[in-house]
Amino acid sequence: MAIHVTEIASLFIIGIVFFLSHTQTSLSQGQNIDPEIRSKIDDFIQNTYLPATNTSTLGLAIIQNDGELLYSTGFGYADQEKMIPNGNETQFLIGSITKSFTSTVVIKALIEKFPDLGEKVLDTPIRKLIPLANFTLNDRFRSEHTTFRDLLSHRVCILQDDLTLATEPFDSTEELTYRLRYADEACGFRSEFQYNNYLYAFAGRLIGLISNRSYEDLVQDLLVELGMFNSSFVKNSDDFSNMPYRAQPYYVMDNVSYVFNTELIKRIEVPKAAGGLFSTPNDMARYLRFHLNLGLIDDKQVIPESIMRWMTKPSNALPVSSFKTSEEDRIVTLMAYGLGLVVASYDGWQHVQHSGYFPPYSSFMSLFPEKKIGIFTSSNQSPALIDSGIIHTLVYDLLIGVNDASTKALRHLEYKRKEHMQLIERRDENVAKFLQKYALTEKQDEDIFGNYGSGIAGDVEISERFNDQTNTTGIYMSYGRWGQAWLEHVGGVTYSVTWISDIVQDLYAAGERNSTMHSTINNGILEIFMPVGDTLSFMGRFELGVNLDTLPPIPWAPDSCGPE
């Protein structure tokens, strides 16, 4: 069933999203917030942010002081068709915010298992902590020296094949973590920040081995200790149709909102330690409280304060900032990555944060330790243009008494809109350059059909099949559970990739205007590219005739430091 949205006239007149066509329902609790501040927050979210981002639903939690719940609410409907209102007990997939839970159980388990090591446990090679784990990466040096701090602060510097998150080529976490040994180097070990979801999946598996318990059980114990009783991991057995408390996911295509295939959500089950946790605004309010009070909740010190400080200790430099355009601008600077948390600065004050995204769910968590403010937002329909950090800075400014906070938020929204449009223009130019370059590359007289493989990314089959849509024979690609597509020769060694599976919903959920990707096939090498940011990004390289059976179990020679 499609839910129609009126055409976009301008940023602030993007039409009436479905829930605004009905009586808006907001289930709230903890009404300790100043009524005037609440009114400004509600007005901005309902009348500006949601329409501007083509988003229909938002969950919100705000705490202050020692964890006092100021505001916990939901906007719109958790299920638009069934008219189930979104509330503060509605479950959203929090995506990569899960990484901070993973880091929490890792440090908790490590200090319990190795109490004499103290913080040195984070910097002790994993091979020494757990010799039987078979911890192997693409070179000998990484394999022998990688630590939990390296995994949790994204400084191992190996490439991640993001396309595998979409196509689901792996059956288990064990297969995924085994294949990490074939991931290529992205930069020098510990030299840069290189985000990697799969290394967090590895960290979850490893801490389970150290504790002699499953990663899921360790997190479940933490949730119980924190009183987060309505949070849970995604499971392959989940039936969303019988889970009215869980926000139904949606995506927007051509200004029409469609139900997202919930089977696609289950792709995160294998790398769950990187992003597979569902939670509610009320539960996340308790999580914010746990962090602001450095491990203390309900008069119980769940983790010692000194250990909690490890999470926000800068472990990997992350100098990312924008610049002021006026004297009154308040700029966020991302300074460093700790353990599952980003350490940033907002107007000079410490701002601990992390975002979470797994299509089409989008979440954001903010902590302002000195001001004792915590904010959480989550949506089941990803904003096409703007991130929810705008809401967080608005709430923060209002709580500390900035008079023109709403005006600044509006200006920031407009700036982000222009930035997004400029990004799309640059991408179109870069895609055109890509196609021109490879279209001129001389095509080899070769048979492109067969089985292609990659140690890290899995297996792809290219075959010739009859296409019922065109009534002709075409080039067909099959990759994992969800990666089915037709390839059309564009020129030279270049092919357009037209997905015929539901992973097209990922692209529309991210605000893409179409679902087309590109590939090259040359001399037995298949490479896949997709639009990311302002360019076409490399997403995977596969070689004809390669599979796990043809690759050495140890990808480096015994007497070498690097790959063979």
Side-chain angles (χ1 to χ4, degrees):
M1 176 180 177
I3 302 164
H4 291 273
V5 182
T6 56
E7 291 186 348
I8 299 177
S10 69
L11 173 65
F12 298 109
I13 315 174
I14 285 189
I16 309 300
V17 187
F18 179 80
F19 83 93
L20 292 176
S21 301
H22 298 75
T23 302
Q24 193 272 338
T25 304
S26 175
L27 302 182
S28 309
Q29 80 170 36
Q31 309 306 334
N32 298 320
I33 195 167
D34 179 273
E36 184 178 353
I37 291 177
R38 173 182 172 175
S39 177
K40 290 180 179 179
I41 293 171
D42 288 356
D43 177 68
F44 181 82
I45 291 174
Q46 294 180 39
N47 300 321
T48 300
Y49 179 81
L50 293 179
T53 58
N54 233 359
T55 307
S56 60
T57 301
L58 190 81
L60 171 68
I62 306 170
I63 68 167
Q64 195 172 20
N65 302 323
D66 291 327
E68 175 190 7
L69 181 58
L70 297 185
Y71 196 23
S72 177
T73 191
F75 299 88
Y77 291 99
D79 189 310
Q80 298 176 10
E81 295 136 312
K82 297 177 181 177
M83 302 286 287
I84 298 174
N86 176 37
N88 46 38
E89 291 294 358
T90 300
Q91 276 194 352
F92 295 89
L93 186 70
I94 63 171
S96 288
I97 297 176
T98 305
K99 290 180 173 65
S100 63
F101 287 83
T102 300
S103 295
T104 302
V105 298
V106 165
I107 63 174
K108 188 174 187 294
L110 286 178
I111 204 63
E112 290 172 355
K113 183 74 173 180
F114 307 101
D116 296 336
L117 288 178
E119 190 176 354
K120 290 181 180 179
V121 71
L122 291 173
D123 301 304
T124 302
I126 289 168
R127 281 200 168 191
K128 289 185 178 180
L129 293 178
I130 179 167
L132 298 179
N134 190 23
F135 185 82
T136 303
L137 295 178
N138 68 331
D139 62 74
R140 180 180 174 183
F141 191 84
R142 279 183 173 84
S143 300
E144 294 180 350
H145 292 85
T146 294
T147 67
F148 273 103
R149 191 188 301 277
D150 296 323
L151 297 182
L152 300 180
S153 66
H154 301 292
R155 64 183 198 181
V156 178
C157 255
I158 60 174
L159 286 174
Q160 171 179 295
D161 279 281
D162 289 317
L163 192 57
T164 57
L165 286 170
T167 57
E168 197 177 1
F170 310 131
D171 294 326
S172 65
T173 306
E174 289 72 25
E175 179 185 355
L176 167 63
T177 54
Y178 176 85
R179 285 179 175 271
L180 280 171
R181 67 190 60 202
Y182 301 113
D184 291 334
E185 178 180 77
C187 46
F189 184 49
R190 296 178 184 161
S191 67
E192 297 180 23
F193 178 86
Q194 183 72 26
Y195 199 82
N196 196 299
N197 286 301
Y198 289 163
L199 287 177
Y200 257 82
F202 213 159
R205 180 168 178 263
L206 289 168
I207 204 62
L209 293 173
I210 286 175
S211 304
N212 199 28
R213 301 185 64 206
S214 71
Y215 162 78
E216 294 89 336
D217 285 346
L218 293 172
V219 175
Q220 185 59 45
D221 287 351
L222 176 66
L223 294 174
V224 170
E225 287 188 280
L226 301 186
M228 298 177 65
F229 299 115
N230 291 320
S231 300
S232 59
F233 278 110
V234 65
K235 298 181 180 64
N236 281 323
S237 58
D238 285 348
D239 179 3
F240 276 64
S241 64
N242 290 318
M243 305 171 85
Y245 51 85
R246 183 169 286 182
Q248 169 67 50
Y250 295 89
Y251 70 100
V252 175
M253 181 176 65
D254 298 328
N255 299 325
V256 179
S257 179
Y258 295 93
V259 174
F260 193 89
N261 183 353
T262 55
E263 289 298 304
L264 292 170
I265 307 301
K266 300 175 184 179
R267 294 172 297 182
I268 199 66
E269 199 274 338
V270 168
K272 65 173 71 69
L277 192 63
F278 275 90
S279 193
T280 70
N282 278 354
D283 273 9
M284 287 303 296
R286 294 188 63 81
Y287 189 60
L288 296 171
R289 180 180 165 195
F290 164 72
H291 277 282
L292 282 179
N293 291 325
L294 294 172
L296 178 69
I297 190 166
D298 296 336
D299 297 322
K300 180 184 179 182
Q301 194 72 43
V302 177
I303 296 177
E305 178 179 325
S306 60
I307 309 303
M308 286 295 294
R309 292 188 184 277
W310 297 355
M311 295 189 66
T312 54
K313 180 178 180 179
S315 293
N316 198 359
L318 189 64
V320 181
S321 179
S322 56
F323 296 98
K324 284 193 172 189
T325 57
S326 66
E327 287 298 325
E328 68 271 15
D329 279 350
R330 303 162 73 83
I331 303 299
V332 175
T333 299
L334 307 184
M335 301 170 61
Y337 203 92
L339 306 179
L341 291 169
V342 175
V343 182
S345 168
Y346 179 57
D347 194 36
W349 294 101
Q350 186 183 34
H351 179 197
V352 177
Q353 58 166 267
H354 211 289
S355 61
Y357 176 72
F358 192 76
Y361 292 98
S362 180
S363 299
F364 197 64
M365 176 182 79
S366 286
L367 299 162
F368 297 90
E370 296 299 324
K371 298 293 185 179
K372 287 288 188 178
I373 293 172
I375 307 161
F376 169 77
T377 52
S378 196
S379 173
N380 59 343
Q381 185 171 300
S382 304
L385 302 177
I386 317 297
D387 67 77
S388 57
I390 293 173
I391 297 174
H392 290 235
T393 53
L394 168 70
V395 170
Y396 173 83
D397 283 350
L398 288 171
L399 290 178
I400 67 170
V402 176
N403 292 327
D404 59 346
S406 297
T407 302
K408 290 181 178 179
L410 284 170
R411 186 167 61 246
H412 193 188
L413 192 70
E414 176 64 17
Y415 171 79
K416 284 292 186 180
R417 182 193 71 84
K418 291 180 180 178
E419 184 180 56
H420 178 81
M421 299 308 295
Q422 292 169 355
L423 180 147
I424 295 299
E425 290 176 4
R426 292 196 302 270
R427 178 196 295 170
D428 290 345
E429 294 174 358
N430 288 328
V431 170
K433 291 177 182 177
F434 170 89
L435 294 176
Q436 183 179 31
K437 173 184 176 182
Y438 285 98
L440 294 176
T441 303
E442 184 178 353
K443 183 181 179 183
Q444 304 296 316
D445 186 17
E446 61 177 329
D447 183 358
I448 66 171
F449 302 113
N451 295 314
Y452 295 73
S454 161
I456 180 61
D459 304 319
V460 175
E461 181 186 10
I462 304 292
S463 61
E464 191 174 36
R465 293 193 184 185
F466 185 78
N467 187 337
D468 292 331
Q469 299 297 316
T470 63
N471 206 33
T472 59
T473 299
I475 304 171
Y476 182 81
M477 180 173 74
S478 181
Y479 178 28
R481 181 181 178 190
W482 298 101
Q484 291 74 49
W486 292 106
L487 304 186
E488 182 178 351
H489 185 227
V490 176
V493 297
T494 308
Y495 298 80
S496 64
V497 179
T498 302
W499 299 106
I500 56 175
S501 63
D502 281 349
I503 65 170
V504 297
Q505 297 178 17
D506 291 344
L507 299 170
Y508 288 115
E512 297 297 335
R513 294 168 297 179
N514 61 65
S515 59
T516 302
M517 292 171 58
H518 295 87
S519 69
T520 60
I521 305 177
N522 192 25
N523 291 325
I525 303 296
L526 164 68
E527 294 185 325
I528 300 175
F529 303 83
M530 74 170 289
V532 176
D534 60 358
T535 189
L536 267 181
S537 292
F538 170 78
M539 300 301 294
R541 181 181 186 276
F542 306 84
E543 186 173 351
L544 188 65
V546 168
N547 55 52
L548 281 185
D549 293 335
T550 67
L551 296 169
I554 305 298
W556 35 268
D559 57 349
S560 72
C561 286
E564 289 186 298

